[in-house]
Amino acid sequence: MAAKKTRLEVLRYLLSNKHFDNQVDILKDLKAHGFKVAQPTLSRDLHHLKVSKVFDDEGHSIYALPQEVYPSDVSYRKSKVRLVQNFGFLKAMISGNLLVIKTLHGYASSLAAEIDNYTIPDIIGSLAGDDTVLLILIENYNIHAIKDLMTKIIPHFSIV
């Protein structure tokens, strides 16, 4: 168990200090640090650390650690990796306590991960596909809090 804990610490360090766009390069760097692991183990470690793929300044998809939990004032983080500001946003619709967000293909997962980095009591959870994010809202949600959050992430956010 100590080896796993140490490996996870090294993996956190690597992801914090270098941009990786594939698991092969991560495995090579882990090996250089004395950890020879198989790809399935790396995959489990990334899942354990809640690592997700995000877009860097040039629009390349890279692995990134989740940010700290945000206070309830929904303040936005300042990150080394500036995510693409529109996340491929196309439109948003509400049905009951469900908020459906349509994006360009491949953007939904990054958008859902960014939304999950916030603490907002009106959002119970999120699900992401390739081009759709589904946000499950609490009963009697505060639409203004939802819009404020989404506008911080996507400046031109609006609900159709």
Side-chain angles (χ1 to χ4, degrees):
M1 192 58 130
K4 179 179 179 180
K5 184 177 180 182
T6 305
R7 184 178 70 241
L8 291 174
E9 288 174 10
V10 169
L11 184 55
R12 266 191 213 97
Y13 172 80
L14 290 172
L15 292 170
S16 296
N17 293 290
K18 187 174 177 184
H19 291 180
F20 294 95
D21 63 357
N22 64 69
Q23 290 186 12
V24 172
D25 291 341
I26 298 172
L27 286 169
K28 286 178 185 174
D29 275 24
L30 280 172
K31 187 175 181 181
H33 283 82
F35 296 95
K36 184 172 178 170
V37 295
Q39 188 277 328
T41 302
L42 174 60
S43 226
R44 285 189 293 275
D45 288 351
L46 293 173
H47 179 73
H48 178 79
L49 294 175
K50 298 182 179 175
V51 172
S52 60
K53 293 277 275 221
V54 298
F55 293 96
D56 66 8
D57 288 338
E58 291 82 36
H60 300 109
S61 181
I62 62 169
Y63 287 93
L65 291 164
Q67 301 301 315
E68 66 279 356
V69 176
Y70 299 98
S72 57
D73 72 350
V74 193
S75 59
Y76 190 67
R77 75 174 191 269
K78 290 190 166 81
S79 164
K80 286 191 257 181
V81 177
R82 187 183 59 79
L83 302 178
V84 174
Q85 285 298 311
N86 66 6
F87 289 96
F89 174 77
L90 297 175
K91 65 180 178 177
M93 300 155 283
I94 289 186
S95 177
N97 67 327
L98 303 175
L99 174 58
V100 177
I101 302 171
K102 298 297 284 181
T103 68
L104 296 172
H105 290 287
Y107 284 81
S109 180
S110 294
L111 177 57
E114 185 68 7
I115 293 167
D116 288 345
N117 282 329
Y118 288 85
T119 301
I120 183 162
D122 292 302
I123 299 175
I124 296 171
S126 67
L127 297 171
D130 180 58
D131 64 356
T132 304
V133 176
L134 174 65
L135 297 179
I136 297 99
L137 311 175
I138 63 168
E139 300 291 327
N140 303 316
Y141 57 87
N142 179 344
I143 191 63
H144 300 294
I146 305 287
K147 285 181 179 177
D148 286 347
L149 165 68
M150 296 308 300
T151 303
K152 287 182 185 330
I153 298 170
I154 304 167
H156 64 281
F157 177 82
S158 65
I159 298 173
V160 182

